[in-house]
Structure formats: C-alpha cells, structure tokens
C-alpha cells in the first residue's frame, strides 16, 4: 500500500504499518502512548445538518475501538479499514483506479471517499475545485477516464440535464457513491444509463465518521434505500417521543445508530453530547423506515418535517414527485405558517431550460401523485436553489427568505 511503500520496516498488516508510521512520526512508541488514544475530528458544517443545535461547527471526538473488528475509525484504523471495505464494495484494483474529487475535502464525505480512500488504494484523484462547473466536471470525467465517482444527487441530476451529455464518453465510470441527500429513482436510472455505472447509495454523518449504512454492490441493492448497516454497526428505528419503543417494520421513526465509528461526543460540549448520544445510541435526527430485509430508507429530517393539521409531510417525498415532471429540473419544499393548518406546504421549483409551468399545472400533477394534504398550497418559481458547497439544498435559507417576505422571525 501507499504507507508501506514509503515507510518500510516490519512485515505488518495495514493497521500494524500505520502504528509503525505513528511511532516514527511522533517519536513515541505505542507502549508509551497507551493502549488507547483519542483524536478530535473537526468538520465544517456549512449546511447546518452536522452542526449542533445552535448551528456551531463542533469537534467530534473519536476513539480507538477495543475488541471489535470491522470498521475502526481512530487514527490507527481509519484509512486501512475503510479502504478494505470500499475495495471489497467496488472490487477496486489498488493503484489502478481514478477518482473524481468534486466533493470538498473539508466535508466529511469528501475527506473520506475522495482523500482517505484514494490514499489507501493508491488511486489517482482528479480534483474539481468547483462542482457547479458542470462542463468542467464532464471534461474531467472524460479526459481522465474516471472509474469511481463519489457525488451528491444534485450533481448527478445536473449532469443528466447538461446539453449534449449523450455525446460525452462516460463509460469508464464503473462505480458511483451517492450521499448527503436522497437520490431519486429517475436521477439514478438516467445517470446509470449514460455511464453504464452502478450508483451505490449510503447514509452517514460527521458523528459516524461518516459511514453508517450502505447498499451492497455484490448482491441485490434496493433503489431508493440507503442500504444496510456496515460492519459491526447496529441501527434501528425508534419512536420519536419515546426512544425506548422500537417501531414496527415499515413505520417511520428516528434512526439511531451504535457502532465503533460513532463519536464519543462533541468537543467540550457535554450538553450537546447528552442530547445526541443516549444509552450508547447516536440519535441522528433523521426519520427513517426499515423493511423486512433490514434495508433503511430515509424519509426526511425531523427538523424539516411539516405538520399540517397534525398530518406529517416529508419534503423529500414532495420534491421527488415534483422532480419526476419532465419540465422540472429541481424542487425544494418547506413548511410555512398557516392560520388554519398550523403549517402548510410550499414548494420552490427550478424549471428545465426553456420550459414553463403554471401553478395550476403543478397543482394538477401533484394531486395525481400525492395525498391531498401533501399537495403544495403555494408554489414559487425561482432561477436557482440555494446550495451548500457540496450542492446540498439549503432549506434553511429558503425558510429565512420566506419569513423575511412575510415580515416574520424564523
């Protein structure tokens, strides 16, 4: 591997070589460092999803797992174990893969898949500084014959709708890893047809450093699901109000996770730690369902759920339906105040180039595909949705914009 090529020495496994490297770099042998040590992983969270409840970016404290195999996420195990898992997942060949690095490496997704895995596997990484430059992304994919493409749903969607994309050779891509937001079936099928690749969708967060679940590639995957828990990881869906109650299969609740990759807590924020980690389980704040095969589906963020007269509306479901319309490029849905319903549904739409829709046409389409209480009562057409550096839609900014229009505080 990369580390053993530069730092020779004893004939050790990957973890052993990494410990040997730490001995050399620190000048302190493992025995003197102690059996365990901690490291603080600090990840910027511009979209607010991985920040604490007050929006402050926090350090996550990771710990060396003891007596457990599989995914180790401390400095000793992080690269080797993640690399082995990814290699098994993608059947990647060490030293032969080319990764497209569109995700910023200060974000935990980009750091793990673009930087850490590429180093471990000896892969070339083609960094694209601006993922919004779709022309540049496509040129990089074609020119460098990229084989592994980690991205987010909005980037796949933008490529799908790029003029003339059918004439660009993307056939070198064999595996894509999608995360950060739900991937619609239409977007997935279109990109896989363009590239002859397979998109594997997973779920993770900074607090799970970052992978928690992933779809298998060497056996049946499930489109629209974020897969099954990774090695040595437990996951379950519990009642939002009483986490001691596990939800039946097919019913939504909060997804909670336990495993060696889960952080010990937030750096010097015991109050936030106690809210997030309870009885050894990390409470993700994501609403999910589990099916009979143990596959999980994320249905929305708890903080994004819209309460319409006591009925739950998940914005991601509404967005997926609206984006299935041929004339709609992107959609984002939020809850807005309503005197009668408490909250009502409002959707922001970005149209395909040269296309138009009326509010009445949107209403008819939505009513054909959604329950009546989920149909957007308000629709606004805009040129572009606000997005984070990883192209994740920032619903918070849409809410702020909406409240400013109404002269109300968020």
């Amino acid at each position: 591997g990369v580390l053993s090529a530069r730092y020779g020495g004893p004939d050790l496994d990957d973890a052993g070589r990494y410990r040997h490297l730490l001995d050399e770099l620190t000048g302190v042998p493992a025995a003197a460092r102690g059996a365990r040590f901690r490291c603080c992983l600090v990840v910027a969270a511009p979209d607010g999803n991985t920040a604490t409840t007050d929006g402050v970016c926090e350090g996550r404290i990771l710990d060396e797992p003891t007596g457990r195999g599989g995914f180790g996420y401390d400095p000793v195990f992080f690269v080797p174990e993640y690399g082995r898992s990814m290699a098994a997942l993608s059947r990647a060949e060490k030293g032969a893969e080319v990764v497209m690095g569109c995700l910023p490496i200060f974000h935990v997704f980009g750091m793990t898949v673009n930087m850490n895995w590429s180093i471990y596997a000896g892969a070339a990484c083609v960094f694209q500084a601006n993922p919004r430059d779709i022309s540049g992304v496509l040129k990089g994919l074609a020119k460098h014959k990229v084989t592994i493409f980690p991205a987010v749903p909005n980037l796949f969607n933008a490529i799908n709708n790029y003029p003339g994309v059918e004439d660009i050779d993307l056939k070198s891509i064999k595996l894509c890893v999608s995360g950060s937001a739900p991937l619609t079936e239409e977007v997935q099928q279109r990109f896989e047809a363009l590239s002859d690749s397979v998109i594997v969708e997973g779920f993770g967060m900074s607090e799970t450093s970052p992978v928690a679940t992933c779809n298998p590639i060497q056996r049946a995957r499930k489109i629209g699901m974020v897969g099954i828990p990774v090695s040595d990881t437990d996951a379950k869906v519990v009642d939002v109000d009483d986490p001691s109650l596990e939800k039946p299969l097919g019913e939504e609740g909060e997804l909670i996770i336990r495993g060696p990759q889960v952080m010990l807590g937030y750096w010097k924020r015991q109050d936030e730690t106690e809210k997030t980690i309870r009885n050894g389980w990390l409470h993700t704040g994501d609403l999910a369902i589990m099916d009979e095969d143990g596959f999980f589906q994320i249905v929305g963020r708890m903080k994004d759920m819209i309460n319409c007269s006591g009925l739950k509306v998940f914005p991601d479901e509404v967005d997926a339906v609206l984006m299935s319309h041929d004339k709609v490029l992107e959609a984002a849905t939020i809850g807005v105040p309503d005197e009668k319903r408490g909250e009502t549904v409002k959707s922001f739409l970005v149209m395909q180039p040269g296309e138009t829709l009326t509010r009445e046409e949107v209403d008819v389409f939505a009513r054909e595909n959604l329950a009546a209480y989920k149909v957007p009562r308000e629709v606004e057409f805009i040129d572009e949705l606000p997005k984070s550096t990883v192209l994740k839609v920032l619903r918070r900014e849409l809410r702020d914009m909406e409240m400013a229009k109404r002269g109300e505080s968020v």
Side-chain angles (χ1 to χ4, degrees):
V2 175
L3 294 176
S4 59
R6 181 174 177 184
Y7 298 94
D11 183 14
L12 303 169
D13 62 11
D14 288 328
R17 283 195 294 270
Y18 202 85
R19 285 193 176 92
H20 183 68
L21 170 62
L22 287 175
D23 291 347
E24 292 190 7
L25 293 180
T26 63
V28 181
R33 289 200 308 265
R36 301 167 67 87
F37 71 82
R38 300 173 180 180
C39 95
C40 180
L41 169 67
V42 181
V43 179
D47 57 10
N49 278 355
T50 51
T52 52
T53 53
D54 58 8
V56 176
C57 297
E58 294 292 335
R60 280 79 173 168
I61 307 169
L62 308 182
D63 198 10
E64 178 178 349
T66 55
R68 300 190 69 170
F71 276 55
Y73 284 77
D74 70 307
V76 174
F77 289 95
F78 181 56
V79 173
E81 289 299 338
Y82 183 80
R84 271 197 290 270
S85 299
M86 279 295 292
L89 179 71
S90 64
R91 299 171 182 159
E93 183 181 349
K94 276 194 174 183
E97 307 298 348
V98 181
V99 179
M100 171 57 81
C102 287
L103 306 170
I105 58 176
F106 61 75
H107 189 280
V108 71
F109 188 13
M111 180 190 71
T112 305
V113 184
N114 289 343
M115 183 178 74
N116 290 357
W117 185 82
S118 295
I119 291 171
Y120 169 75
C125 191
V126 181
F127 282 98
Q128 171 65 30
N130 181 14
R132 290 178 171 82
D133 177 11
I134 304 303
S135 174
V137 171
L138 286 168
K139 287 178 182 177
L141 289 169
K143 177 181 178 180
H144 298 285
K145 301 298 181 184
V146 168
T147 60
I148 297 177
F149 183 29
V152 296
N154 279 326
L155 184 52
F156 290 122
N157 188 44
I159 290 174
N160 289 348
N161 290 281
Y162 186 81
V165 68
E166 296 86 353
D167 300 324
I168 300 173
D169 183 8
L170 302 177
K171 302 300 183 182
S172 63
I173 304 172
K174 59 184 180 183
L175 175 72
C176 301
V177 181
S178 180
S180 184
L183 179 68
T184 66
E185 185 173 352
E186 291 80 6
V187 171
Q188 182 168 1
Q189 291 178 342
R190 164 74 169 155
F191 188 87
E192 289 183 344
L194 286 170
S195 61
D196 281 346
S197 66
V198 173
I199 300 179
V200 177
E201 191 173 6
F203 170 83
M205 52 200 304
S206 302
E207 288 81 350
T208 59
S209 58
V211 185
T213 71
C214 192
N215 262 285
I217 191 174
Q218 295 174 330
R219 62 184 181 87
R221 58 179 174 150
K222 292 193 177 185
I223 293 177
M225 313 287 275
V226 294
I228 56 179
V230 296
S231 175
D232 284 354
T233 299
D234 300 320
K236 61 182 179 179
V237 178
V238 299
D239 186 86
V240 172
D241 298 318
D242 185 357
S244 66
L245 300 177
E246 194 166 343
K247 300 294 286 186
L249 297 178
E251 290 191 18
E252 75 264 0
E254 184 180 11
L255 175 64
I256 64 175
I257 295 167
R258 180 176 64 186
Q261 76 273 45
V262 172
M263 67 172 187
L264 293 179
Y266 296 107
W267 180 250
K268 295 184 178 180
R269 290 299 297 270
Q270 186 61 28
D271 55 339
E272 292 294 338
T273 298
E274 290 175 355
K275 293 176 186 176
T276 306
I277 300 179
R278 287 172 265 164
N279 299 318
W281 290 87
L282 174 74
H283 289 248
T284 66
D286 286 282
L287 293 164
I289 61 173
M290 184 176 75
D291 72 4
E292 64 279 1
D293 297 319
F295 281 69
F296 290 86
Q297 179 184 10
I298 305 297
V299 298
R301 293 282 295 170
M302 289 171 61
K303 66 181 182 181
D304 290 334
M305 186 181 71
I306 304 168
N307 189 334
C308 298
S309 300
L311 297 173
K312 299 174 183 177
V313 179
F314 301 109
D316 289 335
E317 179 187 2
V318 179
D319 294 343
V321 167
L322 295 176
M323 287 179 62
S324 69
H325 194 292
D326 291 341
K327 294 184 178 181
V328 175
L329 177 63
E330 295 179 323
T333 299
I334 63 171
V336 295
D338 183 87
E339 289 185 1
K340 293 182 179 180
R341 306 175 79 196
E343 280 187 299
T344 196
V345 182
K346 176 168 183 175
S347 295
F348 296 82
L349 300 182
V350 178
M351 304 306 299
Q352 294 278 9
E355 299 288 357
T356 60
L357 278 175
T358 65
R359 288 176 177 79
E360 291 73 21
E361 289 172 325
V362 173
D363 184 74
V364 169
F365 180 79
R367 290 184 183 281
E368 290 174 350
N369 295 279
L370 289 167
Y373 68 92
K374 300 178 181 179
V375 172
R377 297 299 194 267
E378 300 181 29
V379 175
E380 183 173 338
F381 300 99
I382 59 177
D383 295 330
E384 185 178 4
L385 295 174
K387 298 186 181 76
S388 70
T389 52
V390 291
L391 300 182
K392 190 169 185 175
V393 173
L394 299 176
R395 288 196 178 99
R396 174 75 181 185
E397 290 194 11
L398 291 174
R399 284 192 286 265
D400 289 347
M401 181 176 69
E402 187 64 24
M403 294 304 102
K405 286 182 190 176
R406 298 167 181 252
E408 301 178 28
S409 59
V410 181

